[in-house]
Every structure is written in C-alpha cells, then in structure tokens.
Amino acid sequence: MKVLVINGPNLNMLGIREPGIYGNDTLNDLIAEIRRTADRLGAEVDFFQNNSEGAIIDAIHGAFGKFDALIINPGAYTHYSYAIRDAIESVKLPCIEVHISNIHKREEFRHKSVTAPVCTGQIAGVGKIGYSLALEALVNGFEN
C-alpha cells in the first residue's frame, strides 16, 4: 500500500508552536515515526506539507492514480475549506483525517470539521501516534 501523508498550515512549526498542545516533537520527528510504522507494516509513505490551500488541493489531486490512500491533517483548513473537502471527495481514495490535539475540546470554532464527512475516518486527540494509527487502519483495510 502506498499512502500520502498531507500536513496543512502551521504543522511545519511543530516543536515550536504551542508545545503544551502539540508537544515538543518536530515535523521531522513525526515523519520518522510514521516511516517506522510504515516499515513495520510493509507500506510505502510519502509526505507533503504546505501552508497554502491551493498547494494542498494540488497534492490531493496529484495523489489520484499514484497512491492507494491519504492521511491528512488539514490544520485550520479543517474548519472552513470546502475546496479541500471537495478535492478529497473527488479523488475517491480512502482518507483518514488526523489531528494531534482533540479539536472537540478546544475553541468552539475548531469543533466542526468540514472535511471529515468525506473522509473514511477521523482520529483526534491522541497526539502524533494518531498518524500511525491511521496508517495501521488503512493498511489493515479499515473501511467506514
């Protein structure tokens, strides 16, 4: 299985931005952990991070025909990007939305995800391990 892991705005600042919420690990630390999980599962992973909505949409579109599934943390776009939502829906790939923090326990504007309804599932609030859990679910054939 070949999976594209997409991280949206501000995730390049992991380890610096609000460590009380997101922890001290950097994006590179997160990538290394996901790679270890992929190796254990016999999966291939590729990574994309961008702060721009259009670049994220292009990455989703580019995954069509090249990847078997997506893992996405849309960052703040989770709550208002219908364009990213539509891109996820258009490629018809299994997709799990991941959030390091529990978006449902934070500010009210973070409680609603406009992207989750077109995803296979959502994992939130378990820290960076959520990405590995998402990868395990996809490799093991989880379908909602």
Side-chain angles (χ1 to χ4, degrees):
M1 173 169 272
K2 194 169 181 183
V3 179
L4 178 61
V5 180
I6 299 173
N7 281 292
N10 298 310
L11 287 150
N12 57 309
M13 299 302 290
L14 286 175
I16 298 168
R17 178 182 177 230
E18 299 183 82
I21 294 174
Y22 300 107
N24 295 312
D25 289 333
T26 66
L27 181 59
N28 286 335
D29 295 331
L30 173 63
I31 288 169
E33 182 173 313
I34 298 166
R35 281 196 195 284
R36 285 191 294 274
T37 301
D39 289 346
R40 180 174 54 80
L41 296 170
E44 291 181 53
V45 288
D46 201 357
F47 299 90
F48 178 82
Q49 188 282 322
N50 203 287
N51 296 316
S52 169
E53 183 179 33
I56 293 167
I57 292 165
D58 289 343
I60 294 166
H61 290 171
F64 182 76
K66 295 178 185 165
F67 291 89
D68 301 305
L70 302 171
I71 295 171
I72 187 167
N73 182 338
Y77 291 131
T78 300
H79 315 294
Y80 64 88
S81 180
Y82 294 101
I84 290 175
R85 177 202 185 281
D86 290 349
I88 294 168
E89 186 174 38
S90 73
V91 295
K92 306 265 188 265
L93 292 171
C95 179
I96 297 183
E97 180 178 299
V98 173
H99 298 283
I100 294 168
S101 69
N102 185 345
I103 62 172
H104 306 287
K105 288 181 73 176
R106 296 187 62 199
E107 303 93 338
E108 189 167 332
F109 75 88
R110 296 187 198 273
H111 295 183
K112 176 151 174 67
S113 169
V114 299
T115 50
V118 296
C119 291
T120 309
Q122 182 191 68
I123 299 172
V126 296
K128 68 179 183 170
I129 195 172
Y131 289 84
S132 293
L133 294 171
L135 185 57
E136 287 201 37
L138 290 167
V139 168
N140 290 316
F142 170 78
E143 291 191 30
N144 187 357

